[in-house]
């Protein structure tokens, strides 16, 4: 694997994993308080800036040129490393330190629902708790938190940073 991709993926995963650990510790210490999803997305975006620097560094290593496809693949592999480490860190946290996360999250969602929404939110959250009983679903749902955003970020970054070789 390309050294640039590996380094940028590891650096990005350190950021997103540290934030995940911090948010989880905060949620456990303050079960009555809800953490804004914007904080999580901001951490993911910050981690995905390593996608931009990775594509840019790859372009520089290729004599100042990179195609959209090569740029996207570079960004995708960095994103996949960041996302996979994020999933692994969440699995460690969930199964070892926060096994009641699904119940905690369900209670928070139902508590903040309006009286008209309570029945629907309760039904949705019960489905969520059922899905979270399966390790495969935990993995898939966790990837769905981060991977789509990273793929979009990779494509947009590759589109902006593509540069044809000048002859």
């Amino acid at each position: 694997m390309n050294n640039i991709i590996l380094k940028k993926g590891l650096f990005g995963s350190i950021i997103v994993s540290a934030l995940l650990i911090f948010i989880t510790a905060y949620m456990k210490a303050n079960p009555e308080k809800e953490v804004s999803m914007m904080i999580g997305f901001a951490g993911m975006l910050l981690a995905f800036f390593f996608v931009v620097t990775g594509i840019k560094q790859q372009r520089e290593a290729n004599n100042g040129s990179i195609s959209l496809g090569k740029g996207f693949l570079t960004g995708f592999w960095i994103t996949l490393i960041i996302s996979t480490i994020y999933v692994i860190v969440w699995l460690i946290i969930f199964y070892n330190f926060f096994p009641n996360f699904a119940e905690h999250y369900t209670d928070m969602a139902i508590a903040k629902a309006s009286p008209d929404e309570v029945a629907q939110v309760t039904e949705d959250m019960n489905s969520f708790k059922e899905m979270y009983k399966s390790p495969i679903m935990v993995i898939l749902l966790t990837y769905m938190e981060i991977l789509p955003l990273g793929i979009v970020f990779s494509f947009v970054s590759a589109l902006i940073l593509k540069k044809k070789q000048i002859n």
Side-chain angles (χ1 to χ4, degrees), residues 101-140:
F101 168 77
E103 290 81 19
H104 177 82
Y105 184 70
T106 298
D107 293 344
M108 283 179 27
I110 293 169
K112 76 174 194 172
S114 70
D116 296 341
E117 300 173 322
V118 169
Q120 183 62 47
V121 170
T122 301
E123 184 180 324
D124 293 345
M125 289 294 101
N126 285 336
S127 295
F128 171 77
K129 283 197 300 191
E130 277 303 308
M131 286 190 291
Y132 238 66
K133 289 179 181 177
S134 164
I136 299 298
M137 288 307 296
V138 173
I139 291 167
L140 292 175

Side-chain angles (χ1 to χ4, degrees), residues 47-76:
F48 289 137
F49 276 111
F50 285 99
V51 168
V52 175
T53 60
I55 294 171
K56 195 170 182 181
Q57 195 172 356
Q58 191 78 352
R59 182 178 75 183
E60 291 166 7
N62 195 34
N63 299 320
S65 70
I66 194 164
S67 67
L68 175 63
K70 178 71 172 172
F72 175 73
L73 283 176
T74 298
F76 174 77

